[in-house]
Amino acid sequence: MALAHLRSRTLSGKLNILVVLSLITVNIYIVLSIFQVTNVTRTRNAISTKKPLETVNSDLSQLEAAEIARKMRNKTLQTMCAGDPARNDVWKLPEPKSVFHQIIVDEERKFLYCYVPKVACSNWKRIIKYIQGSLDDINTVQKMDHKKDLVFLDSFSKEEIDVKLKTYFKFMFVRDPISRLVSAYRNKFKENIVAFHKRYGVPIVKKYRRNLVEGNVKGDDVSFEEFIRYLLDTDTSDMDMHWRPMNELCQPCAVNFDFIGSFEYLSVDANNVLKTIGAESNTFFSTETTMV
């Protein structure tokens, strides 16, 4: 009922629910994520060191499903990127520096990781800090500092960036866009994150709340409908990175990633990447998963 009401009020009956969802996610944003095999699983414990990497014996069906999903995603991406003017050339992007700011560099292992918020990026950053030696305990539960001890691509010269983009192993991870959106909403508006409540919650409530009682609006009670209406009225380039389309953050057509894994097969795909970059044998994403 909420979606039907939102559709009638926001789009005046001209667009249906599928169009609303496409407006939220953008076409290629969806393409990168929707090709998943049924019985999708989610990672419950993102990181663990209980078993060494080489002894991880993932279920064969999961390995096969992850590979099929990855091949379909790559094939679709190639088709979608065929007409992109910035294909394989980041310097043709309107703002290449914004992409470089998302890419973490490991010069020793020669890899580039483009992080996407709400797609296990905190866990990946923890992994990277651990293998680089700046983090002693991979299972630490302390709040992640998303910048400290990490090197980003925008700190290099144009010549150095070109070399790294051509020669380093490049990877990113994507997630079902609707699942990512719900995760961002729950995290930023349903948890006690005052900064987000003030920056986004208060303006959203003031703009979209009907019969609003004037007074001390805290922005800590944004409804999902109000959040969606806000997204529909906001240009994607102005969105916070936690709900900005994944393709705009990492520009897969321009960067030409060697590996695009999925949150839905995080354990399988992540361990694939860890083997490729030569991570220590006691470093891996947990194979324990659960439905969500």
Side-chain angles (χ1 to χ4, degrees):
M1 290 297 293
L3 276 177
H5 178 68
L6 171 61
R7 176 180 60 183
S8 62
R9 286 183 56 83
T10 306
L11 303 179
S12 301
K14 295 181 180 180
L15 301 175
N16 58 29
I17 294 176
L18 292 177
V19 176
V20 171
L21 296 179
S22 69
L23 285 173
I24 297 172
T25 57
V26 184
N27 289 339
I28 193 171
Y29 181 24
I30 297 174
V31 166
L32 287 174
S33 301
I34 62 173
F35 292 102
Q36 308 298 337
V37 179
T38 55
N39 298 323
V40 169
T41 56
R42 300 287 197 261
T43 298
R44 178 176 62 205
N45 299 318
I47 300 176
S48 175
T49 53
K50 294 181 180 179
K51 294 184 255 181
L53 178 61
E54 62 267 19
T55 63
V56 176
N57 294 313
S58 299
D59 182 81
L60 182 60
S61 62
Q62 283 290 301
L63 291 172
E64 292 176 336
E67 183 177 1
I68 291 172
R70 194 163 56 250
K71 287 181 177 179
M72 294 177 67
R73 185 184 307 115
N74 291 342
K75 184 177 181 180
T76 305
L77 182 62
Q78 290 177 2
T79 301
M80 296 297 294
C81 291
D84 193 314
R87 183 182 184 186
N88 300 331
D89 189 349
V90 293
W91 301 108
K92 289 183 179 180
L93 293 171
E95 297 181 13
K97 288 186 178 180
S98 66
V99 181
F100 301 155
H101 190 65
Q102 295 291 131
I103 298 178
I104 297 173
V105 180
D106 186 309
E107 293 191 281
E108 179 181 346
R109 297 165 187 80
K110 299 186 183 303
F111 71 76
L112 304 177
Y113 162 58
C114 188
Y115 76 92
V116 177
K118 310 314 299 178
V119 190
C121 76
S122 294
N123 295 323
W124 267 115
K125 289 176 181 178
R126 188 176 292 110
I127 283 279
I128 292 172
K129 289 184 179 185
Y130 177 75
I131 64 178
Q132 290 180 341
S134 62
L135 185 66
D136 294 329
D137 183 6
I138 198 172
N139 289 312
T140 181
V141 294
Q142 67 185 35
K143 182 176 175 60
M144 171 61 60
D145 187 320
H146 290 273
K147 300 297 180 183
K148 184 180 179 181
D149 299 320
L150 295 172
V151 178
F152 294 85
L153 194 59
D154 61 356
S155 64
F156 296 90
S157 67
K158 182 179 184 301
E159 292 71 22
E160 291 174 315
I161 291 174
D162 281 336
V163 171
K164 288 173 171 53
L165 286 173
K166 290 178 181 178
T167 61
Y168 282 23
F169 176 75
K170 303 176 292 296
F171 71 96
M172 68 174 289
F173 275 72
V174 296
R175 181 179 185 175
D176 175 85
I178 306 305
S179 174
R180 176 175 176 250
L181 194 64
V182 172
S183 176
Y185 168 75
R186 288 174 174 171
N187 176 223
K188 302 307 179 185
F189 295 108
K190 290 304 180 182
E191 295 180 17
N192 187 30
I193 305 180
V194 179
F196 269 81
H197 297 167
K198 289 182 177 180
R199 183 175 181 180
Y200 297 104
V202 171
I204 289 174
V205 169
K206 287 185 176 180
K207 184 174 182 179
Y208 300 105
R209 182 71 51 84
R210 290 177 296 169
N211 302 319
L212 177 66
V213 178
E214 294 296 333
N216 185 23
V217 178
K218 297 181 179 180
D220 59 353
D221 60 346
V222 176
S223 70
F224 190 66
E225 177 180 342
E226 290 168 340
F227 179 54
I228 295 299
R229 294 180 66 188
Y230 159 73
L231 292 179
L232 290 171
D233 289 340
T234 304
D235 189 279
T236 56
S237 62
D238 296 325
M239 289 182 177
D240 181 86
M241 68 168 62
H242 291 87
W243 45 80
R244 188 178 182 185
M246 293 174 279
N247 70 296
E248 292 191 15
L249 291 174
C250 292
Q251 297 290 344
C253 292
V255 175
N256 190 23
F257 290 94
D258 299 293
F259 188 97
I260 299 179
S262 71
F263 184 87
E264 288 70 26
Y265 294 105
L266 180 60
S267 181
V268 174
D269 285 347
N271 282 297
N272 193 326
V273 170
L274 290 172
K275 289 179 182 179
T276 301
I277 65 177
E280 286 75 3
S281 60
N282 67 337
T283 307
F284 80 106
F285 277 73
S286 173
T287 56
E288 295 182 37
T289 58
T290 186
M291 298 294 292
V292 298

